[in-house]
Amino acid sequence: MSDFSEKCRQYIEDTGTNIYQLSKISGLDRTSLQRMVTGKRLPGPEFISQFCLYLRINPQQRQELIELYELERIGKPAYYNRKYIQNILENLATPDFSALSYSPVISAKHQIQLSFAIEEKLQHFLEHSLLRSENAPVLLTNFPPDCISFFRIILHLSEKLGRKFDLKHLFCLCQNPEKSENVNSNLELLQCTLAFALTRYPYQPFFYYSKEAHIDTSALLYPYYLVTESSVLLLTADLKSSILLDKADVVKQYLREAEKQFQSAAPFLFMRREPEEILNFYGEITMAKQTSSRVLESQPCVFSMLYDPDVWASSPENTDFIDPKMLKDSFKNRFTAPYTFHNYFTLSGLERFCQTGRFAGPYACISVEFSPLVRQKMLEYFLETSLETGEYTMLKPSPLLTDRAYYEAFSDYSIFLCFLDSQNKFLGFYISESYIGQAFFDYFSSLENSSIAYSREETRQIIQKQIQILKEMQD
């Protein structure tokens, strides 16, 4: 008997009824109820909703039961991955791209704390290394990504001295998190590295695989290192003691061996900062080997609303961000992209586009304000040609997405993330790690039938209402 079926049985007993009586008053099939309570069959979501309605349980108990149901329906790994990805997206909803914005949310259980003495030694070592070098010195390290204090020291020195390292960071990912004690281990490392990368610090993370996300370092002497061209700082497994090495021949050997480790590792994040770089890189990804993708963005897919590619003729010859001709060519290429996609957009994003006539997310680089008539035609075209394909889902208001972000998970289990901050600075990331990519692909796919998704008919009615508002704006 599963936890879910046992909880169902308990709630039935607590309400003083039985399966026969519950079936009679609710209209639910008695055999289905019996099979559910004995763990022989898992019913559908509507059955569970009716079951909860007639049980006379409070909202907290209902939520607990639904969570147990989802755990059994999709399995523990998928359930906890979906919850954690939702947490990541909510934390990314207001990207600031500044050092002050670095604040990854990690459970206290998995967060590594440093003593004041070690923090002082780290700061002294790093500050000394920065001041000794004329240019941005290379810093090679395998410091745990979830040690937030270390990265805050790095950012503090950048603000204090106006100088930065060329930071290369090596860590391990779990080969199969589903068999580890922390199924979210790889996603936690993604959140840590992404939070730091969003500060725009010169950062290159690399990874290799291990059976566990955190290698057992208890029997190793000084397993953590920070290596620069002039010195080496070694730290014990518990991060409570350190040794400084500064003899030239010793440092040279450490530097050589550390570089070997990085050369044998795989890049974790590919980062692009300029709009044209991001557009080119995205084009290479989408035209290469994809068969399908799942997209989460603010407004409906731009391409699905372009009733005429020449609508861009109204755009200015120059923009602050990108060459208009390059942008138009990109849109034409996207029309013939050799893969299918499912687009998730938000009600707030749709309303924003209708009110302002401007695109959000990475498309905000297009300094075009479409007239109410053009907006109307775009939405009418979307209703006539795109919505009925079943490849578009509108999401209800939620903290999942900001108007300045774009996320896409591909069928080869890689992901592309793009952000635009309030100062109109871009950052694009491509992550090609199969477990993380598969988790994102699964999460996005699950949105279609989730509680935050509008039905196709509800979406149609909302868009028709927006079209009517746009018509009234033209009177």
Side-chain angles (χ1 to χ4, degrees):
M1 186 178 292
S2 68
D3 291 340
F4 168 72
S5 57
E6 175 61 28
K7 185 64 68 175
C8 289
R9 184 196 62 77
Q10 177 189 326
Y11 283 162
I12 291 175
E13 289 183 0
D14 290 346
T15 54
T17 186
N18 57 44
I19 289 176
Y20 174 77
Q21 293 171 334
L22 185 60
S23 173
K24 190 173 181 179
I25 63 173
S26 67
L28 294 172
D29 181 68
R30 185 172 64 177
T31 301
S32 297
L33 280 170
Q34 184 67 39
R35 289 176 176 174
M36 179 183 73
V37 171
T38 57
K40 293 181 178 178
R41 185 183 178 189
L42 196 66
E46 290 185 7
F47 189 96
I48 297 300
S49 180
Q50 282 291 101
F51 176 70
C52 290
L53 181 64
Y54 285 94
L55 266 184
R56 303 193 304 274
I57 55 178
N58 63 44
Q60 184 177 352
Q61 291 172 317
R62 176 188 173 93
Q63 183 61 33
E64 180 184 11
L65 190 63
I66 290 175
E67 287 187 2
L68 290 174
Y69 171 74
E70 287 297 310
L71 269 168
E72 186 169 345
R73 186 178 70 86
I74 64 177
K76 177 181 175 181
Y79 177 78
Y80 286 112
N81 280 341
R82 288 179 186 180
K83 287 195 69 173
Y84 200 87
I85 288 173
Q86 182 169 322
N87 174 266
I88 290 176
L89 297 183
E90 289 175 358
N91 289 332
L92 291 174
T94 53
D96 185 12
F97 300 173
S98 70
L100 295 175
S101 71
Y102 175 69
S103 185
V105 179
I106 311 168
S107 86
K109 180 180 177 182
H110 301 116
Q111 191 174 144
I112 297 175
Q113 301 290 343
L114 296 177
S115 68
F116 178 73
I118 285 296
E119 284 195 8
E120 275 197 324
K121 288 184 179 180
L122 280 172
Q123 179 153 334
H124 181 267
F125 171 83
L126 294 169
E127 184 170 354
H128 184 67
S129 299
L130 282 170
L131 293 174
R132 286 188 62 177
S133 178
E134 294 183 3
N135 302 314
V138 174
L139 174 63
L140 305 176
T141 184
N142 67 341
F143 226 77
D146 45 3
C147 184
I148 297 175
S149 300
F150 169 71
F151 294 98
R152 283 185 173 149
I153 292 171
I154 292 278
L155 294 171
H156 168 71
L157 290 175
S158 172
E159 295 289 324
K160 176 183 176 181
L161 304 176
R163 308 190 67 181
K164 297 179 180 181
F165 288 103
D166 179 5
L167 178 57
K168 296 184 178 180
H169 186 200
L170 180 65
F171 52 85
C172 70
L173 294 179
C174 184
Q175 282 179 323
N176 187 1
E178 295 179 11
K179 291 185 177 181
S180 71
E181 64 175 20
N182 179 14
V183 70
N184 295 140
S185 58
N186 288 359
L187 291 172
E188 285 184 355
L189 295 180
L190 169 67
Q191 178 157 325
C192 293
T193 54
L194 194 57
F196 186 71
L198 279 168
T199 67
R200 292 182 166 263
Y201 200 94
Y203 180 54
Q204 300 175 64
F206 295 80
F207 75 95
Y208 60 95
Y209 286 111
S210 173
K211 288 186 177 180
E212 295 293 335
H214 290 284
I215 297 176
D216 183 6
T217 57
S218 58
L220 301 178
L221 296 175
Y222 299 95
Y224 297 113
Y225 59 78
L226 288 84
V227 181
T228 69
E229 292 181 351
S230 58
S231 55
V232 175
L233 187 67
L234 303 178
L235 295 102
T236 53
D238 59 7
L239 299 174
K240 292 182 179 179
S241 301
S242 63
I243 292 178
L244 177 65
L245 306 174
D246 56 8
K247 290 186 177 181
D249 56 337
V250 174
V251 172
K252 188 175 181 179
Q253 291 181 46
Y254 266 96
L255 191 59
R256 183 167 56 247
E257 292 303 315
E259 287 174 343
K260 285 182 182 179
Q261 289 189 348
F262 279 85
Q263 289 169 3
S264 63
F268 186 60
L269 287 177
F270 294 90
M271 181 165 54
R272 298 292 185 272
R273 303 186 182 195
E274 300 300 326
E276 292 190 9
E277 288 182 351
I278 294 172
L279 198 58
N280 280 329
F281 190 58
Y282 178 74
E284 292 171 6
I285 296 168
T286 56
M287 299 300 290
K289 54 180 179 179
Q290 311 302 335
T291 58
S292 64
S293 73
R294 302 290 182 267
V295 178
L296 177 59
E297 60 182 324
S298 179
Q299 69 271 313
C301 172
V302 172
F303 314 104
S304 68
M305 296 192 292
L306 288 185
Y307 60 91
D308 179 0
D310 290 335
V311 71
W312 302 108
S314 61
S315 64
E317 287 304 314
N318 295 294
T319 72
D320 294 333
F321 304 106
I322 195 166
D323 174 40
K325 182 179 183 304
M326 178 182 179
L327 184 65
K328 294 170 190 176
D329 290 343
S330 171
F331 278 108
K332 289 179 182 179
N333 292 336
R334 187 64 170 80
F335 273 117
T336 58
Y339 72 95
T340 60
F341 65 92
H342 194 109
N343 175 257
Y344 302 93
F345 61 96
T346 65
L347 173 61
S348 60
L350 173 71
E351 291 175 337
R352 179 186 180 279
F353 171 72
C354 292
Q355 292 166 4
T356 67
R358 292 181 178 274
F359 291 132
Y363 301 114
C365 66
I366 307 165
S367 58
V368 179
E369 182 178 324
F370 296 106
S371 69
L373 176 60
V374 172
R375 287 174 241 168
Q376 172 194 330
K377 288 183 176 180
M378 284 181 163
L379 292 183
E380 289 173 341
Y381 179 78
F382 177 76
L383 283 183
E384 293 169 3
T385 63
S386 300
L387 184 61
E388 293 306 314
T389 65
E391 296 174 347
Y392 297 85
T393 300
M394 186 164 71
L395 304 179
K396 300 174 184 178
S398 73
L400 271 186
L401 186 69
T402 171
D403 284 341
R404 293 179 167 269
Y406 173 97
Y407 309 127
E408 187 164 1
F410 297 102
S411 54
D412 69 345
Y413 298 146
S414 61
I415 54 178
F416 176 78
L417 315 173
C418 188
F419 303 94
L420 178 69
D421 73 359
S422 56
Q423 283 74 47
N424 292 324
K425 293 181 180 178
F426 280 84
L427 271 180
F429 299 99
Y430 179 65
I431 300 148
S432 182
E433 196 286 316
S434 59
Y435 186 85
I436 291 173
Q438 185 175 10
F440 270 82
F441 196 89
D442 169 74
Y443 175 79
F444 290 151
S445 299
S446 73
L447 293 175
E448 183 177 2
N449 298 310
S450 70
S451 60
I452 64 170
Y454 286 106
S455 69
R456 194 181 306 175
E457 183 55 34
E458 288 173 329
T459 302
R460 173 175 289 279
Q461 292 175 6
I462 291 171
I463 293 177
Q464 287 174 337
K465 182 178 179 181
Q466 291 296 323
I467 290 174
Q468 184 60 38
I469 292 173
L470 289 168
K471 288 181 178 178
E472 293 171 359
M473 290 172 63
Q474 300 170 53
D475 293 339

